[in-house]
């Protein structure tokens, strides 16, 4: 335990004035002299606490509409003097500068001003200059100075001060928090300058990406028990899996997160009430229905064997009826935008299920780490719900009737969440056979047909995430009795594939869009 260092003089300059009066009063009661800026000083004085205006220290008035308040050697030398050094102490004496032991600063609300849609001049004015300078100076000089950047820390700080001051370990921890704070702040400023103020022509992607994530929790292990792992949140994200509220169950595992993300992707692509059951990042069941219970029953039926130990997402609040069904099946995770009265209690009675409430948030841009760098792409959005009969191109067979078309659209949306090569057979709004992750399309066709079984495959529709490079895959589907197919088209052998569809009497639509998912 390192020695505590008494706090005798504090500099306070805060935009967010939450709790400032009580904090100042606590400091004054502990015998700390307070120096403060403009309206912070006014608030402290109004609370009846003695405060020295910073101008009395600098001998220089605040000017340029607040752009210059604390940017003065009398302030910065007072913060930066390393009190362990005789030379620094001697210089302070020579220059008649009093050192600061504590700096409490929080910054102009840059990110919130950008988010408010303010114009450029207004945003620029919210780039805090003096604040980060003091925070960085105090954090650098943590052997002598403690720094606070968040009102939430005032209470703990007062306790430390009353106990005789901060230990070196405490000042180091505060300094690390402070540097993270200014780094975050600069990432926001630099991102805005790069993407909004001075965007580069010719690329829709910025020349630089700054990222800042906060650790949410350290996980028991990663994908496998010998891998360490943690989950991080994006402090600016509104909704999404990492921001979900866990309402019940054991700690989420790494694989739970991966599968829950895949489940959300699958279920929320559908506009009707939908449920997806995920195993190893692939849907083993997905269906739409009149309500969530109906959709769940049908999604489970896609492949009841594989659904054991699955991760379920619903795109509507889980009803009591749905919860009763889910509770009967061993399920790792249930994630939904809400749980109706009574539904949560039913799931909470099951020890092994994790229950998460999520505000769905679609990623606009996806990142994937590669060795030595990062791949970035616009997220793959399935076509806006529209009339496929209008936007798709009928290239073989008769135009599908409304029910068949609706099934094709369901299958097309559902296959976007299946790892490539993806073939998904569907009937009446439910997947009946899914072929995923095969290294050639014909094997995915065989797998989908095999999973469906002869009875369910007959009269089903199919969606293919990418074109058929040869007629062989389509032939497998045709032989199984699939009646209509949606596929992007675009192969050099489209002609052969279309001929095979015609010969088999199959309706074939080209969607024009590919949905690879690796
Ligand atoms: N320019 C400066 O010298 C300066 N010094 C402190 N500030 C900021 O001014 C704010 C506090 O000002 P006031 O006490 O007047 O409300 C703080 O958010 C602080 O980060 C400054 N403002 C911006 O750069």
């Amino acid at each position: 335990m390192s020695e505590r260092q008494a706090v005798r003089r504090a500099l306070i300059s805060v935009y967010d004035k939450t709790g400032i009066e009580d904090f100042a009063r606590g400091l004054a009661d502990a015998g700390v002299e307070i120096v403060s800026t403009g309206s912070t000083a006014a608030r402290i004085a109004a609370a009846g606490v003695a405060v020295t205006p910073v101008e009395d220290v600098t001998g220089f008035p605040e000017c340029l509409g607040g752009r210059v308040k604390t940017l003065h050697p009398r302030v910065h030398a007072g913060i930066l003097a390393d009190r362990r050094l005789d030379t620094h102490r001697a210089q302070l004496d020579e220059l008649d500068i009093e050192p600061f032991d504590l700096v409490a600063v929080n910054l102009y609300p840059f990110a919130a001003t950008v988010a408010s849609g303010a114009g450029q001049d207004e945003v620029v004015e919210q780039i805090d200059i003096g604040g980060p300078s003091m925070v960085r100076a105090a954090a650098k000089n943590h052997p002598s100075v403690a720094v606070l950047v968040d009102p939430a820390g005032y209470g703990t700080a007062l306790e430390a001060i009353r106990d005789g001051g901060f230990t070196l370990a405490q000042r180091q921890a505060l300094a690390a928090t402070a540097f993270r704070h200014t780094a975050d702040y600069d990432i926001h400023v630099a991102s805005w300058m790069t993407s909004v103020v001075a965007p580069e022509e010719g690329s829709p992607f910025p020349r630089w990406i700054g990222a800042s994530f906060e650790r949410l929790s350290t996980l028991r292990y990663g994908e496998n028990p010998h891998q360490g792992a943690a989950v991080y949140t994006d402090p600016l994200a509104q909704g999404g899996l990492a921001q979900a509220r866990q309402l019940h169950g054991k700690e989420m595992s790494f694989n739970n997160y991966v599968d829950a993300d895949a489940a959300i992707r699958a279920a929320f692509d559908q506009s009707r009430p939908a449920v997806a059951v995920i195993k190893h990042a692939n849907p083993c069941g997905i269906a739409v229905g009149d309500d969530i219970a109906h959709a769940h029953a049908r999604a489970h039926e896609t492949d009841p064997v594989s659904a054991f130990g699955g991760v379920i997402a619903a795109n509507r609040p889980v009803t009591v009826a749905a919860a009763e069904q889910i509770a009967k099946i061993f399920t790792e995770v249930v994630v939904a935008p809400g749980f109706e009265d009574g539904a949560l209690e039913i799931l909470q009675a099951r020890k092994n299920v994790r229950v998460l409430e999520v505000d769905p948030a679609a990623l606009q841009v996806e990142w994937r780490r590669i060795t030595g760098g990062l791949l970035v792409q616009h997220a793959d959005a399935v076509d806006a719900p529209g009339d496929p009969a209008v936007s798709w191109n009928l290239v073989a067979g008769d135009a599908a009737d409304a029910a068949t078309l609706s099934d094709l659209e369901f299958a097309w949306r559902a296959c976007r969440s299946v790892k490539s090569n993806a073939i998904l057979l569907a009937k009446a709004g439910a997947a009946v056979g899914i072929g995923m992750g095969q290294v050639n399309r014909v094997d995915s066709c065989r797998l989908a047909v095999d999973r469906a079984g002869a009875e369910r495959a007959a009269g089903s529709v199919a969606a293919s995430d990418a074109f058929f490079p040869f007629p062989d895959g389509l032939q497998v589907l045709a032989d199984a009795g699939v009646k209509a197919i949606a596929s992007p088209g675009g192969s050099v052998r489209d002609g052969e594939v279309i001929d095979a569809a015609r010969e088999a009497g199959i309706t074939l639509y080209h969607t024009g869009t590919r949905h690879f998912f690796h």
Side-chain angles (χ1 to χ4, degrees), residues 433-451:
I434 306 173
M436 71 281 279
Q438 302 303 299
V439 290
N440 65 65
R441 195 154 297 274
V442 68
D443 275 351
S444 288
C445 293
R446 288 193 191 109
L447 187 57
V449 164
D450 190 44
R451 284 254 168 78

Side-chain angles (χ1 to χ4, degrees), residues 9-14 33-45 50-63 66-79 96-98 100 102-105 108 130-131 134:
R9 195 164 183 251
L11 176 58
I12 309 181
S13 179
V14 291
E33 182 200 343
I34 300 171
V35 175
S36 184
T37 50
S39 60
T40 310
R43 282 278 287 265
I44 294 171
V51 56
T52 305
V54 74
E55 291 90 335
D56 290 2
V57 172
T58 60
F60 202 89
E62 174 178 321
C63 62
R67 285 192 172 196
V68 179
K69 310 182 196 185
T70 53
L71 296 164
H72 193 282
R74 289 202 166 272
V75 170
H76 281 273
I79 300 173
D96 195 22
I97 292 174
E98 285 279 317
F100 290 105
L102 174 68
V103 169
V105 169
Y108 290 170
M134 290 187 286

Side-chain angles (χ1 to χ4, degrees), residues 29 78 107 127 152 170 179 199 204 238 258 270 338 439 447:
D29 289 349
L107 310 179
I127 300 176
Q170 286 171 327
F179 276 124
Q238 311 271 335
V258 172
Q270 302 291 338
V439 290
L447 187 57

Side-chain angles (χ1 to χ4, degrees), residues 207-282:
R207 70 163 53 243
W208 171 88
I209 294 175
S212 175
F213 294 92
E214 282 171 17
R215 195 184 63 215
L216 178 68
S217 64
T218 303
L219 301 172
R220 273 183 69 208
Y221 52 78
E223 208 159 354
N224 299 291
H226 61 274
Q227 293 171 268
V231 58
Y232 288 77
T233 60
D234 175 351
L236 288 185
Q238 311 271 335
L241 181 59
Q243 318 273 338
R245 295 163 292 283
Q246 186 165 356
L247 306 177
H248 173 65
K250 291 184 289 190
E251 180 194 316
M252 289 281 284
S253 73
F254 186 96
N255 292 331
N256 289 158
Y257 274 115
V258 172
D259 288 347
D261 216 31
I264 291 169
R265 175 187 173 105
F268 282 86
D269 260 355
Q270 302 291 338
S271 45
R272 292 180 57 196
V275 168
V277 185
I278 300 293
K279 286 288 284 291
H280 302 290
N282 269 303

